[in-house]
Amino acid sequence: MEQRKRGRKRLGKMKRYHNVMLRFNDTEYEGLRKICESYDLDISERGTISPLLRRLVLHSEAEEKDRLPDTSNLAYHVNKIGNNINQLVKIAHHKNLRSPNSSLQNEIQKTNELLHNLIEITIMEQTS
């Protein structure tokens, strides 16, 4: 008669090397408890949470809208606009102008319009 192997089944190439530890506050733990109840699992029983979370995480797909839009290009342009405004103000002070002339006023108006357009584009990208 052949003797049965005892102990845990060997995983071979499927061995898990990475460890993740989670901590929950009371409301989060209550939500986890409800999820376990929906699967008819006892949350206090050892070895039930890990397989459940592994199954939920590995078999779900991430949504595209969860990603944040790339704002580095927008920040670059906003900084450039700020530099232009600073240069215009420096010229106005250098020429000792009490009130800006019409060309400076037009430049400020164009800058404001560009900034407004950039903000609208950002808002549209975040909502879509």
Side-chain angles (χ1 to χ4, degrees):
M1 186 161 123
E2 191 175 305
Q3 195 172 23
R4 284 183 24 191
K5 288 188 178 179
R6 296 182 187 227
R8 208 161 102 175
K9 185 173 126 181
R10 296 197 182 257
L11 294 174
K13 292 182 182 178
M14 299 291 292
K15 188 168 183 174
R16 296 181 179 103
Y17 293 103
H18 302 284
N19 185 19
V20 176
M21 186 174 86
L22 295 174
R23 294 183 185 268
F24 298 101
N25 62 23
D26 291 337
T27 56
E28 293 168 341
Y29 188 77
E30 185 63 28
L32 180 63
R33 190 183 63 74
K34 288 180 182 177
I35 291 172
C36 285
E37 286 177 359
S38 70
Y39 285 99
D40 293 327
L41 297 173
D42 184 14
I43 197 168
S44 62
E45 186 177 328
R46 182 180 165 100
T48 58
I49 301 296
S50 294
L52 172 68
L53 292 177
R54 190 177 295 117
R55 186 174 13 163
L56 290 174
V57 169
L58 295 178
H59 296 299
S60 66
E61 302 216 4
E63 297 179 14
E64 282 292 322
K65 65 181 180 181
D66 289 341
R67 295 183 182 178
L68 294 175
D70 182 24
T71 57
S72 61
N73 194 23
L74 176 65
Y76 171 77
H77 287 295
V78 169
N79 286 336
K80 289 303 239 180
I81 291 170
N83 288 341
N84 289 342
I85 291 172
N86 287 339
Q87 289 172 0
L88 292 172
V89 169
K90 186 175 180 180
I91 290 171
H93 285 289
H94 180 68
K95 291 185 176 183
N96 200 11
L97 298 174
R98 297 260 180 214
S99 62
N101 59 17
S102 63
S103 64
L104 182 60
Q105 189 67 30
N106 289 339
E107 289 295 322
I108 292 173
Q109 182 64 29
K110 287 179 189 177
T111 305
N112 286 339
E113 289 173 5
L114 287 172
L115 187 58
H116 182 70
N117 290 340
L118 286 172
I119 291 171
E120 284 180 353
I121 291 170
T122 305
I123 290 171
M124 288 174 42
E125 285 180 358
Q126 288 178 351
T127 57
S128 60

